[in-house]
Each structure stands twice: as C-alpha cells, then as structure tokens.
Amino acid sequence: MSTTAPQAATSPVPQDIARTLIEAGRIAMRDFATADQARVDEAVTAIAWAVYEPARARELAELAVADTGLGNVTDKITKNQRKTFGTLRDLLRAKTVGIIDADPARGLVKYAKPVGVVAAVTPSTNPAATPVNKAMMALKGRNAVVIAASPSGYATTARAVEVMRSELERTGLPADLVQILPQPITKESTQALMEAADLVVVTGSQNNVRRAYSSGTPAIGVGAGNVPVIIDTSADLDDAAAKICASKTFDNATSCSSENAVVIPESIYEEAISALERAGGYRCNAAEKQQVEDSLWPNGNLSRDLIAKDADVFAERTGLATAAARNARFFMVEDDEVGPDKPFSGEKLSLVLTVYKVSDFEAAAQKVQAILDHEGMGHSCGIHTKDETHAKAL
C-alpha cells in the first residue's frame, strides 16, 4: 500500500492576481469604448451616487470610523457628499469624448483617448470618498480602475466598490470597470498592480508615492500635505481663527489640506493667539508641549493611538489634564525651528497646530517656504490677509 502526502496549498502569485484584474478591466473597457459623452457622464454620475446617496454616505462614514478608528462620522458624511458632488460638478463640465480641442488656423485637432486600466492607491484616512472620486475620474476618460485600498480601511473601500459596481450594472454597464485588489493587501501585491496597470494614481504616504514613480508605469501622486498658513497683520483675527479651527478640526485633521502650522508676525502675535483660543484652541506650555511630543511620536513615528482622534481623547492620552485642555477643540504648540529633528514642523494628522512667531511678512513667507521644503512641497499653503499685494506675493 502506498500513501500520497497532501499537497500544501499555494498562495496566488501577486503578479497573476494583478494580470487577472487588469485583463478584466480591459474587457470591460471594450464595452465602454464606443460610449458617447452622455453615456460616459451617466456612468460618472452613477459612481457618484454610490457614495452621495444619503443612507450610503452615512453607512460608509460609520464603517470608515469603525474600520480605521480615524476621524468622526459627521464630518465623513460631509466629506462623502460634498467632495463627491464637487468632483461631479467639475467632471460634468469637461468634454472627454471625440474632438475635445481644435485649432483650425494650424490645422490641429485633439481627440480624447482612454489611457487604459488605472491603478488607484487610496489611504486609510479617506477610505470611501477617495476611491469613489478616483473611480469617477477614471471612468470620465472611459478607463477602468482597480483600487488598491489601505489594509486598515479595506472593509470600507470594499463596500464602496461593491455599491459602485452595483450602480454600474443598474445603468447597463460592466461592473468590472471598477474592481478592488483582494486581500491580503501587501506591498508586493500593490507593486504588482502598479507595474501591470497603464497609469497609477496614488494618494498616501511618501513611500507609496515613491514606489509608484519608480514602478515603470506613468504615475500621478500626492503625499503629505503639511499645510502652513500665515495670519497677516491686516487680517480679521477672529475670522481667520474661526476658519483655521474649522479646517483643522474637520474629520479630526485627516484631510491633507488641514493646517499643520500657522505663522504669525510678532506685532499681532498675542492678539492672534487670543483669537485662536477663542475659536477653541488650547495653548500648551513648554512642559505640555513635551508631553504631546512624547505621546505623539513614542518611537519616532506618529502614534496610531493619537492620530485623527477626538480632542477629549487626545487630551486624555497626552496627559493634558486642565479643564481648558479637556474642553479644547485643538491644541497649539509654539516652535521656532523646522527640520527632520523638529517633529512639530511636519504633518501630524492630529489636532495639533504648530505656531511660529516671525518678525514680518517677508519672514513669514520664508518660514512657509522652509516648512514646505521640509515636507509638503507642491501641496498647499495659505494666507489670511486684506493686503492683496501680500496674497499675490505668497
């Protein structure tokens, strides 16, 4: 009698998974290739409705907070709806089928042509709206898309993809115009997808952006935001403070456009700080600043236990024990230097706002440049001012 040992199951090879998804996307694109502009716009609108529909906007917001532990439900509902509606508004104004530009004087005509299958890498900070918005943009060009979700936001993104596919089928279009890279999400599987796709669009860590740009596939990427803003001497201080608070606290600072630093000329410094305190800011003293630093970067890396948490949770976990701190909406730390050994000068993904005092507007603009040179180059900066020459200079 002879026996045969059972064969160990083999895991699918990442390259094979990627090729299968890309091929399914290409097949779906064949049925979409002859769509006219109205049909394309119908598809984009269907994708938008997948996350905009009120019940689903709430469902996906609640799932995102439960899934990732980041942000808050109320703001994620707003993000799911307003971000998506704004993208839809802009996309519906654009022509992407047939002749999209012509220069009769030079005899030039420009025709729109699909890029192919897009690999869309998405972050845990925005696991519903970002995948949906990227899918809308891809389909607007008659492309298919495969989404590589953040592992910690996978359940939310998978649900978003499920409803997008359902809405496409409801309009008579192939569901495989939108797909998701299956679990487990690894660096290897994401890399294989990026290498197999025709275009990579990546939002997330600088490491992901670098890997996309070195994948051998054309790539568009955006990494850390780290937005600095100036409160100018001519600004309405309470108005500026209210707007900074609204932006900083939205979805607990998960948005890359949230302020990470405020730069203030010394002539209005204390007045501006007072305005920020009235708006809900808590000014940390030197000892409290050290507590925040030790808690937020326990091993030199941002603590997942503190990023994108509610203000009362942040205060408790960092040991900010005063009643004012426990009731604050965000937390201000004062600093004067920028660089790798100054963690408060980088993106914090938390309700911490770094405040810099400078001599004048020129010094403020130089500080903004230094912050962006350190982290966030190419993203955003801002100014609160009534002086148009300063706005133009920045």
Side-chain angles (χ1 to χ4, degrees), residues 92-147:
L92 292 182
R93 292 170 175 169
K95 183 169 175 56
T96 59
V97 177
I99 297 174
I100 60 172
D101 193 20
D103 184 351
R106 295 197 295 167
L108 297 177
V109 178
K110 184 185 292 185
Y111 292 84
K113 175 180 178 293
V115 169
V117 182
V118 179
V121 183
T122 61
S124 61
T125 51
N126 206 11
T130 295
V132 171
N133 279 248
K134 288 191 175 187
M136 291 164 64
M137 295 174 195
L139 266 66
K140 180 68 178 185
R142 290 176 293 162
N143 305 293
V145 63
V146 181
I147 295 164

Side-chain angles (χ1 to χ4, degrees), residues 183-247:
Q183 288 182 307
I185 302 295
T186 64
K187 290 181 180 179
E188 291 74 24
S189 63
T190 303
Q191 187 71 30
L193 178 65
M194 292 192 296
E195 292 174 357
D198 300 299
L199 175 69
V200 180
V201 182
V202 55
T203 304
S205 69
Q206 295 288 57
N207 182 51
N208 279 346
V209 173
R210 292 188 189 100
R211 286 173 53 228
Y213 282 139
S214 62
S215 66
T217 302
I220 302 169
V222 59
N226 199 34
V227 178
V229 299
I230 297 170
I231 299 179
D232 200 14
T233 53
S234 64
D236 179 326
L237 299 183
D238 284 312
D239 179 67
K243 288 173 178 173
I244 290 167
C245 175
S247 177

Side-chain angles (χ1 to χ4, degrees), residues 248 252-253 259-261 284 292-293 296-297 306 314 318 320 329-333 344 346-355:
K248 182 64 188 174
N252 294 353
E259 283 85 348
N260 273 280
C284 295
V292 171
E293 181 174 341
L296 196 50
W297 292 277
L306 284 176
F314 187 92
T318 55
L320 300 176
R329 299 186 64 193
F330 62 97
F331 306 91
M332 296 181 285
V333 297
F344 286 115
E347 188 178 43
K348 293 170 279 294
L349 290 174
S350 59
L351 296 173
V352 177
L353 183 68
T354 310
V355 185

Side-chain angles (χ1 to χ4, degrees), residues 23-370:
E23 181 56 29
R26 296 199 200 289
I27 292 171
M29 284 179 63
R30 293 175 195 162
D31 294 335
F32 199 40
T34 57
D36 61 15
Q37 189 69 69
R39 184 63 164 152
V40 168
D41 290 346
E42 182 183 18
V44 173
T45 305
I47 291 291
W49 184 245
V51 70
Y52 185 88
E53 191 276 322
R56 280 199 295 257
R58 173 169 288 279
E59 175 197 357
L60 289 166
E62 291 174 347
L63 183 56
V65 173
D67 200 9
T68 66
L70 306 176
N72 64 76
V73 171
T74 300
D75 288 345
K76 285 193 184 295
I77 292 171
T78 300
K79 186 181 290 185
N80 287 345
Q81 292 191 309
R82 290 190 185 176
K83 183 181 181 73
T84 303
F85 187 81
T87 300
L88 179 64
R89 175 199 61 201
D90 292 345
L91 290 177
L92 292 182
R93 292 170 175 169
K95 183 169 175 56
T96 59
V97 177
I99 297 174
I100 60 172
D101 193 20
D103 184 351
R106 295 197 295 167
L108 297 177
V109 178
K110 184 185 292 185
Y111 292 84
K113 175 180 178 293
V115 169
V117 182
V118 179
V121 183
T122 61
S124 61
T125 51
N126 206 11
T130 295
V132 171
N133 279 248
K134 288 191 175 187
M136 291 164 64
M137 295 174 195
L139 266 66
K140 180 68 178 185
R142 290 176 293 162
N143 305 293
V145 63
V146 181
I147 295 164
S150 165
S152 62
Y154 190 88
T156 306
T157 304
R159 175 59 179 152
V161 169
E162 179 184 4
V163 294
M164 284 191 282
R165 289 170 62 88
S166 176
E167 291 295 338
L168 285 172
E169 289 180 323
R170 216 157 61 85
T171 60
L173 290 165
D176 282 347
L177 286 169
V178 180
Q179 301 175 84
I180 187 169
L181 186 65
Q183 288 182 307
I185 302 295
T186 64
K187 290 181 180 179
E188 291 74 24
S189 63
T190 303
Q191 187 71 30
L193 178 65
M194 292 192 296
E195 292 174 357
D198 300 299
L199 175 69
V200 180
V201 182
V202 55
T203 304
S205 69
Q206 295 288 57
N207 182 51
N208 279 346
V209 173
R210 292 188 189 100
R211 286 173 53 228
Y213 282 139
S214 62
S215 66
T217 302
I220 302 169
V222 59
N226 199 34
V227 178
V229 299
I230 297 170
I231 299 179
D232 200 14
T233 53
S234 64
D236 179 326
L237 299 183
D238 284 312
D239 179 67
K243 288 173 178 173
I244 290 167
C245 175
S247 177
K248 182 64 188 174
T249 60
F250 184 78
D251 202 22
N252 294 353
T254 58
S255 295
C256 53
S257 53
S258 289
E259 283 85 348
N260 273 280
V262 171
V263 185
I264 309 170
E266 59 186 356
S267 64
I268 60 162
Y269 187 79
E270 290 300 332
E271 292 176 78
I273 291 289
S274 295
L276 288 164
E277 289 176 321
R278 288 193 294 274
Y282 177 77
R283 187 180 192 174
C284 295
N285 61 34
E288 290 169 329
K289 176 185 174 182
Q290 191 61 54
Q291 286 174 226
V292 171
E293 181 174 341
D294 293 343
S295 302
L296 196 50
W297 292 277
N299 302 303
N301 297 311
L302 276 171
S303 168
R304 190 152 186 95
D305 291 333
L306 284 176
I307 61 172
K309 293 296 187 286
D310 292 340
D312 58 341
V313 174
F314 187 92
E316 178 185 355
R317 293 183 183 177
T318 55
L320 300 176
T322 67
R326 292 197 302 271
N327 292 315
R329 299 186 64 193
F330 62 97
F331 306 91
M332 296 181 285
V333 297
E334 295 168 281
D335 214 331
D336 51 11
E337 296 183 39
V338 175
D341 59 342
K342 293 290 181 178
F344 286 115
S345 66
E347 188 178 43
K348 293 170 279 294
L349 290 174
S350 59
L351 296 173
V352 177
L353 183 68
T354 310
V355 185
Y356 295 92
K357 182 196 291 188
V358 294
S359 58
D360 52 23
F361 170 75
E362 286 71 23
Q366 290 170 9
K367 185 67 73 176
V368 165
Q369 186 67 64

